[in-house]
Amino acid sequence: MSATAFVSSPAKEKGATDDIAVDLYPFIREYKGGHVERFLRSPFVPASEDAAGNRGVATKDVVIDKRTGVSARLFLASRAAAAAGERLPVIVYIHGGSFCTESAFCRTYNNYAKSLAAHTGALVVSVEYRLAPEHPIPAAYDDAWTALQWVAALSDPWLADYADSERTFLAGDSAGGNIAYHTAVRASRDCRLMDIEGLVMVHPYFWGSERLASETVRDGVSMFPPELVDRLWPFVTAGHAGNDDPRINPPAEEVASLTCRRMLVAVAEKDSMRDRGRQLAAHMRDCAWSGDDVTLVESEGEDHGFHLYNPLRATSKKLMESIVQFVNQRSVLPLPAAMLPELHELHGYGGNKTSEEGETDDCDQLTLSVPARPYIDIFGYGMAMKNWSGRKSMASGCLQIGLGKTSNTRYGLSLGGVRPNKTNRLALPAAAPGSSIIKNFF
């Protein structure tokens, strides 16, 4: 998902809300009759095994489970496949979309997974899982687990011919990052399946009733205003869980149970979910097994999902470079990583919680200036999403694909056990003795 201005629903503006049961515009709207209207959705893109006509990456669609309809799109870079005697790492990728929108077959995620395969040289398996509200959580978790079992069994000729099963990565963005995390937890508990080499979570979707610092920011253009996020998890769980559900707010002891060898978490400075990702990475830091194998990448001046809609931005390129290095690293040296925060630095000012009515208690809040540089909408989303091609028609929504500014990805290289000091109200880590901060200007 991209950074998108949070605007009121067109239905509300027209006063036509009588038939609406749940309004989570600009993502989804559910009507009392059961009809679902999805706004944040990009057009269907067919697979093609013609790598030459597909920027060097062959793609094909496979059905994993006929009963549930779980399927996947495979991405194989021709250059990597041609490497003599070299088996490829496997990335099981799980798309985002708040558990209720988008698809592995849509233009956004087809293009991203194709780029991921081309840059990493990995065989990418992009999972098509069932969406809420038609299929509430835990359907998405079950589907991802089914897909991982399918990959572990080398159930497709591309996997059998090219995959290095000892280098299997779970990856995802936003809701997909949450699903990837829980799939890794499940794999950690089932030692019969396979070892997970690494876990990659980009702008992962985690939440809680107690506000962290990044969740108190109200700038008027955030992709995920806290008031909207508060309503998403109850919606995708069909009202069966609240925001302290351990599936959306995992306890530290569960994080410690992970057995994957390495983890990368990417966060964006203006993302309201930023500190949830930083908190998760901080918990990972204290795991006995982790050592230096926890990497945190922070993209300054960016919001949730910016890399999907603006892959040519400098920050998007640096994020991709970080993932490429993470996937292809085979030494024990730590990757360039932001200094991990202390947990107390992440809590919201005043430790406020949301009330039962969903309102936020008064607290000291941050106000960020509106970014000056607009996003370059290279995929042509503009003000109206196109209908889902080849599927049930979805009404277009009037969306503005957010605003951004010239920005840089922040890295720090930890050379020891030194912890950073809190130097500003955003609780971003500062360079400390034993660390280096590298900013890249383009």
Side-chain angles (χ1 to χ4, degrees), residues 222-243:
S222 175
M223 175 67 176
F224 278 111
E227 297 79 7
L228 175 63
V229 184
D230 285 340
R231 300 169 57 208
L232 280 172
W233 188 247
F235 174 69
V236 300
T237 59
H240 294 157
N243 287 318

Side-chain angles (χ1 to χ4, degrees), residues 198-251:
L199 174 61
V200 178
M201 293 178 288
V202 179
H203 312 158
Y205 180 178
F206 293 101
W207 203 245
S209 62
E210 181 179 354
R211 292 279 192 254
L212 300 186
S214 65
E215 298 160 7
T216 65
V217 178
R218 294 179 179 176
D219 58 8
V221 297
S222 175
M223 175 67 176
F224 278 111
E227 297 79 7
L228 175 63
V229 184
D230 285 340
R231 300 169 57 208
L232 280 172
W233 188 247
F235 174 69
V236 300
T237 59
H240 294 157
N243 287 318
D244 281 327
D245 185 340
R247 294 172 295 183
I248 200 71
N249 188 17

Side-chain angles (χ1 to χ4, degrees), residues 166-178:
E166 294 185 358
R167 288 193 291 157
T168 298
F169 294 81
L170 282 165
D173 68 281
S174 192
N178 176 293

